[in-house]
Amino acid sequence: MNWNKILVGLGICLILNCGDLAQLIGGDRKPTFNFQKVDIASIDLSEITLNMLTSVKNPYPVSLPRSDLDLKLSIEDMPFTSSKIDLGKIEANSEKPLPFPIKLKYADLLNLYKKFPSKELLKVKLDGLVGIPIPQEFQLTGKKSLEFPFSEGRDVPSVLPTIDIRNFKIIKPDPAQIASQAGAGLATQATSFLDNLLSGKKPSAGSAAAAGLSGIDLNVDTEFDLGLKNLAASKLNFQDLNYDLSLKGEKFLSGKSADILNNGLESIVKVKTSFPLKSLSSGITDAITKKSSDFKLTGNSGLAVPGISESIKFNYDKAGSFKW
């Protein structure tokens, strides 16, 4: 127990009176809770993440112990989930921002999608009650805590996105390009290596370094499409996509593409890039020779959804296998 603070409070009571002290710590001297907004933080291949922005102000010269938020979430007026969230300690004479994420997993949303198969935007409502404790020395009226109810809603898109690699091809440089970039000394070796690599008729060509091409300055062009599809109702328009493609656990290609064909429920990202021939490891050449590989595809893009004013961040991380 903090006897100094209690003695100060008793001293003030003697000078004024306890009613005046209640007035002194009332009004602006009460804790406050502020709900700013709820944003769509991001969408990925498994969930939508909402970000709820709030803050709590503590006017007291002592810290506030744990405060709680009771939150109920409904979608299209149907109860969806409820939770109790610890807002943590609020330091003395401070205002603490309290942003926290709310995750809506597609696995949990599937039944809603089936009930509203053509609904592009779903109404999400947050009903909450924040309980902030009052330090014992300031409980002049016997009230141990203050409660702040709030209710907020927003529209979220009906999404169930998928992504896949299509039309993958590696374009063999023409003899003039090989001669120009490789130089006379390595042109023959480079041509033989590329023939073995891209014909698919011989075993793996091995690494470029093992073939004596570690010093070659030759880029090989590559083209492929990324198919982005929404299996739910919202129309998604993807913007400025960044990608990283690994084959057999090794980084292979990365870059950015703004060449995106959006047609509502499906978008096609046209990717044209290249890789340095000298960078090829034996694992990558084995995948290219067999024209099949395990892959990992990661990246992000902007996402515009009709009916939602702000651009949404779309993150993707997919692993699998593909053939070309």
Side-chain angles (χ1 to χ4, degrees), residues 54-320:
T54 69
S55 64
V56 171
K57 184 175 182 180
N58 174 17
Y60 299 130
V62 294
S63 63
L64 297 177
R66 165 179 173 160
S67 301
D68 291 320
L69 165 63
D70 289 309
L71 185 67
K72 294 180 180 179
L73 187 147
S74 60
I75 301 178
E76 292 297 322
D77 297 323
M78 293 185 293
F80 188 73
T81 186
S82 61
S83 58
K84 189 166 189 173
I85 300 166
D86 179 4
L87 300 181
K89 180 180 178 181
I90 314 297
E91 297 295 339
N93 297 309
S94 69
E95 183 168 5
K96 179 181 180 180
L98 295 170
F100 52 88
I102 300 168
K103 297 184 181 297
L104 306 177
K105 295 185 177 297
Y106 301 138
D108 299 328
L109 291 169
L110 282 177
N111 286 333
L112 273 168
Y113 290 163
K114 292 174 182 177
K115 290 180 181 179
F116 306 101
S118 61
K119 196 169 182 63
E120 296 185 27
L121 298 177
L122 300 174
K123 295 187 181 299
V124 174
K125 187 180 179 187
L126 302 171
D127 289 295
L129 183 68
V130 175
I132 301 177
I134 301 174
Q136 184 176 359
E137 57 266 44
F138 295 102
Q139 294 175 11
L140 300 179
T141 61
K143 194 163 187 173
K144 296 183 178 181
S145 66
L146 295 174
E147 293 184 340
F148 299 89
F150 69 89
S151 182
E152 183 73 13
R154 73 153 300 145
D155 289 337
V156 301
S158 175
V159 291
L160 187 59
T162 64
I163 187 168
D164 63 295
I165 304 171
R166 307 173 186 175
N167 305 319
F168 187 88
K169 60 182 177 180
I170 296 173
I171 303 167
K172 182 182 175 181
D174 60 41
Q177 181 185 354
I178 295 174
S180 172
Q181 295 186 11
L186 292 176
T188 300
Q189 287 174 261
T191 300
S192 176
F193 182 81
L194 285 164
D195 285 340
N196 290 339
L197 181 69
L198 301 177
S199 67
K201 296 178 181 179
K202 296 183 179 181
S204 173
S207 69
L213 300 174
S214 58
I216 197 170
D217 187 16
L218 175 65
N219 290 328
V220 181
D221 291 336
T222 304
E223 296 180 0
F224 61 95
D225 297 337
L226 295 178
L228 296 145
K229 192 172 184 179
N230 186 19
L231 302 180
S234 282
K235 294 180 176 63
L236 307 179
N237 295 314
F238 295 87
Q239 306 164 330
D240 297 327
L241 183 137
N242 297 284
Y243 64 88
D244 286 288
L245 174 63
S246 296
L247 300 182
K248 290 198 166 184
E250 298 182 44
K251 188 173 180 178
F252 181 44
L253 299 171
S254 63
K256 181 175 181 177
S257 179
D259 187 8
I260 303 176
L261 307 176
N262 289 303
N263 62 4
L265 296 182
E266 184 175 54
S267 298
I268 305 296
V269 183
K270 310 294 289 186
V271 177
K272 292 184 179 182
T273 186
S274 63
F275 60 87
L277 184 65
K278 64 183 178 184
S279 70
L280 293 184
S281 67
S282 58
I284 297 292
T285 59
D286 183 61
I288 294 174
T289 301
K290 294 177 179 177
K291 297 186 178 182
S292 67
S293 179
D294 295 335
F295 76 89
K296 185 176 179 64
L297 182 66
T298 61
N300 59 75
S301 78
L303 188 61
V305 179
I308 294 179
S309 59
E310 74 267 31
S311 178
I312 302 167
K313 187 175 183 181
F314 172 66
N315 303 303
Y316 60 92
D317 185 334
K318 183 173 182 178

